[in-house]
Amino acid sequence: MTLSPGKLVKLLKILDEENLNKPLESLMKQFHLEFPKEDRFKVGMTLLLMLQQSDLLPNSIQRLIALSTLFNLYQGEPLASTPFASVFCKMLSFQDKPDNKKNISINTPKLTKCELNLLINLIGTNSSDIIKKTPRQLLDDHAHPTPGQIDDFLKNLQLEIVEYHSEFPAVSKCGNSIILPDNNNQMKNDNDAADAEAVDDAANRKLLLKKLLTGDPPYCNKNYCPEFLRLVPPMYNKPGGLNWMSLSEPTQFNVEYDYSMCVPNTAEARILMAKAFKHVLTLQQQQNLVTELNNDPKLVYHIGLTPGKLPELVENNPLIAIEVLLKLMQSSQITEYFSVLVNMEMSLHSMEVVNRLTTTVDLPTEFVHLYISNCISTCETIKDRYMQNRLVRLVCVFLQSLIRNKIIDVQELVIEVQAFCIEFSRIREAAALFRLLKQLRSDDTAELNTSTTKKNIDTC
């Protein structure tokens, strides 16, 4: 994880103090052109080392450019998910109480007010404006954030980081850098850059950076990590020592059965199902999951599906939802799954699942009627006219399919469905559904008249 000497030279060229009149935005574009994505973390570690050691980057202009580059390494991604989010959090925390010596850390860069103002604007909503300024303009800007602003940004960033890192093991956060700063070498003023010693210092810094950042492995990647000690297991406190190890004496052994034997490996199916709750599976992944479910009918009870997760599965992978519901038909929890499916938000995917189930198995009549009532109610209460028209078309086509396949008895819902068709008669599909209801009603009347006439003839 180190930069090559050639790339280090490119990075130092971007950080050169001669760029004081170039907008940060143009410098960031130049940086992204010079360094591919796979080098971002390497560059970030280099910039962090330079910001931590004040004698490696003493010029304010260079530090402003370095701070902007470190922040823009992962542009377009949530700040809390980037590798250096905790670094910015520590910077703000350190600045929040600058007089507290307990906050002093060799791993936390000490920012000037100008640099702190830049960081606050980058994290906040003014990032697009601040990035258009030059380092010289930032140095001349006397607007500095108040302690209250720093505290607000710090709290928000800490909450985001804690939420993102909640699943990371604590061991991953241990370790300290082996590089220590030279505390006797204080930061110099910008006016000292004109001295003859500054030229030698710049050359020495470049040489030192090459020594720290190159090699296999580089010094900047070496950490001191604590040794994790474990308690020694207690001895077997019984006269004669570990006599349970002795097999010379007649001993009554108990058979220990391995209950994990012959149990199918559900790891792949569980992983695919966990993805299915959050993302749309590829065709190959869907086929693999369906194959696993078909090979073992009881696998559906061991892959993490619960009634509460059914809506997510329906919206992301309706075909998988159909397969698992069909395999859960004999389950004692199937009523809970039906209840969740009925009460979830109406959508094309939920209709697809219900329609497929109705044509495959016999669903409880009250379940189908309740779902139809929910669909009609949703169409009547939605405010968006475009979405309302779209959902009405879907519901009408869905009802026509149920009626033509004789899945529902339309006479039990005729009043509610007719009122629905009349309310949305402006929509072609609603008018077609209304005509279908009238046709069924006339057919029933004709059939009733025919049977009555035949009965009268038989009586005569």
Side-chain angles (χ1 to χ4, degrees):
M1 299 299 295
T2 179
L3 290 177
S4 64
K7 291 184 177 180
L8 179 60
V9 172
K10 291 182 180 180
L11 179 61
L12 293 177
K13 186 175 181 181
I14 294 175
L15 301 179
D16 198 297
E17 57 185 303
E18 294 181 359
N19 297 323
L20 78 164
N21 292 320
K22 289 185 179 180
L24 293 176
E25 186 176 24
S26 63
L27 293 175
M28 296 305 101
K29 289 180 179 179
Q30 180 184 347
F31 168 79
H32 286 289
L33 289 175
E34 294 282 356
F35 295 89
K37 289 185 177 181
E38 56 267 21
D39 287 337
R40 289 186 300 183
F41 186 73
K42 302 176 186 178
V43 173
M45 293 299 294
T46 302
L47 292 172
L48 181 57
L49 174 66
M50 297 167 71
L51 287 169
Q52 288 172 341
Q53 314 301 331
S54 59
D55 51 346
L56 297 180
L57 206 64
N59 189 282
S60 298
I61 295 173
Q62 292 177 303
R63 291 177 60 83
L64 288 172
I65 300 174
L67 188 62
S68 302
T69 307
L70 184 64
F71 186 87
N72 281 274
L73 283 176
Y74 297 86
Q75 61 179 1
E77 299 182 20
L79 179 58
S81 66
T82 60
F84 302 100
S86 58
V87 174
F88 299 122
C89 189
K90 287 183 178 180
M91 289 180 184
L92 295 177
S93 179
F94 182 66
Q95 302 298 328
D96 189 33
K97 298 177 181 179
D99 296 331
N100 190 348
K101 295 183 179 180
K102 293 183 180 180
N103 284 336
I104 298 176
S105 171
I106 62 173
N107 294 324
T108 303
K110 179 69 171 70
L111 302 184
T112 63
K113 291 184 178 181
C114 181
E115 293 162 2
L116 183 61
N117 182 54
L118 172 62
L119 179 59
I120 290 293
N121 281 277
L122 288 174
I123 297 177
T125 58
N126 298 327
S127 58
S128 57
D129 295 331
I130 199 73
I131 205 73
K132 294 179 181 179
K133 294 185 177 182
T134 65
R136 172 55 66 189
Q137 290 174 329
L138 293 175
L139 290 173
D140 294 338
D141 189 359
H142 299 290
H144 302 304
T146 62
Q149 288 177 311
I150 299 176
D151 190 54
D152 291 340
F153 278 101
L154 178 60
K155 288 181 180 179
N156 294 334
L157 185 56
Q158 285 176 334
L159 288 175
E160 293 177 6
I161 293 175
V162 168
E163 182 179 357
Y164 181 75
H165 288 179
S166 58
E167 299 181 359
F168 284 70
V171 180
S172 64
K173 305 172 185 177
C174 298
N176 287 316
S177 174
I178 65 170
I179 300 176
L180 301 177
D182 182 5
N183 293 325
N184 293 325
N185 192 350
Q186 303 296 329
M187 288 185 64
K188 299 179 180 180
N189 297 325
D190 292 341
N191 296 332
D192 295 334
D195 297 336
E197 296 181 359
V199 178
D200 294 335
D201 289 343
N204 291 334
R205 282 195 297 271
K206 289 184 179 180
L207 181 60
L208 179 59
L209 282 171
K210 286 184 179 180
K211 290 181 178 180
L212 289 174
L213 301 174
T214 58
D216 189 22
Y219 283 102
C220 65
N221 287 347
K222 295 180 180 179
N223 290 314
Y224 170 75
C225 297
E227 181 182 358
F228 291 93
L229 302 178
R230 295 172 175 83
L231 294 176
V232 177
M235 295 296 292
Y236 186 71
N237 297 323
K238 191 174 182 180
L242 303 177
N243 57 357
W244 56 273
M245 293 289 292
S246 176
L247 302 179
S248 59
E249 301 176 2
T251 308
Q252 183 66 35
F253 295 100
N254 294 326
V255 177
E256 294 290 340
Y257 183 75
D258 185 3
Y259 291 94
S260 63
M261 292 191 303
C262 303
V263 175
N265 184 9
T266 63
E268 182 179 0
R270 290 179 67 88
I271 292 173
L272 289 175
M273 182 57 74
K275 291 181 179 179
F277 293 136
K278 300 179 180 180
H279 309 287
V280 179
L281 297 182
T282 64
L283 182 59
Q284 184 62 45
Q285 289 174 331
Q286 293 184 37
Q287 292 175 349
N288 292 343
L289 183 54
V290 172
T291 302
E292 293 283 343
L293 293 173
N294 291 336
N295 291 338
D296 183 7
K298 294 184 179 180
L299 182 61
V300 70
Y301 300 102
H302 307 288
I303 55 177
L305 177 65
T306 61
K309 294 182 179 180
L310 182 61
E312 299 175 358
L313 183 62
V314 169
E315 289 303 323
N316 290 301
N317 295 277
L319 297 179
I320 300 297
I322 294 169
E323 291 292 335
V324 296
L325 287 175
L326 290 176
K327 288 175 171 53
L328 287 169
M329 289 301 296
Q330 305 303 322
S331 170
S332 59
Q333 285 188 305
I334 190 62
T335 304
E336 296 182 35
Y337 287 101
F338 285 161
S339 177
V340 171
L341 188 59
V342 166
N343 293 294
M344 70 175 288
E345 185 177 352
M346 189 196 76
S347 65
L348 174 61
H349 287 169
S350 68
M351 283 189 184
E352 181 182 357
V353 172
V354 174
N355 188 42
R356 178 72 176 276
L357 290 175
T358 55
T359 57
T360 307
V361 296
D362 293 330
L363 294 182
T365 304
E366 61 273 14
F367 161 72
V368 180
H369 288 181
L370 186 58
Y371 184 75
I372 293 173
S373 299
N374 182 35
C375 291
I376 292 176
S377 175
T378 303
C379 292
E380 291 174 345
T381 55
I382 193 169
K383 301 298 182 182
D384 190 323
R385 186 65 173 268
Y386 172 77
M387 288 300 300
Q388 185 184 57
N389 294 343
R390 185 172 181 271
L391 292 179
V392 168
R393 292 189 182 96
L394 292 175
V395 172
C396 291
V397 173
F398 173 65
L399 289 174
Q400 289 183 54
S401 174
L402 295 179
I403 293 171
R404 288 197 170 93
N405 292 323
K406 298 182 179 180
I407 294 172
I408 60 172
D409 185 2
V410 73
Q411 297 302 327
E412 299 179 4
L413 297 168
V414 64
I415 297 177
E416 186 177 8
V417 176
Q418 278 188 345
F420 171 75
C421 294
I422 294 172
E423 181 179 358
F424 298 101
S425 57
R426 67 180 186 276
I427 299 176
R428 181 178 57 185
E429 287 77 6
L433 177 60
F434 186 78
R435 288 194 297 270
L436 177 61
L437 294 175
K438 289 188 63 177
Q439 180 183 351
L440 292 175
R441 191 172 182 180
S442 61
D443 291 344
D444 292 341
T445 303
E447 184 179 352
L448 179 62
N449 293 335
T450 302
S451 62
T452 303
T453 303
K454 184 177 180 181
K455 183 178 181 181
N456 293 335
I457 293 174
D458 293 340
T459 303
C460 295

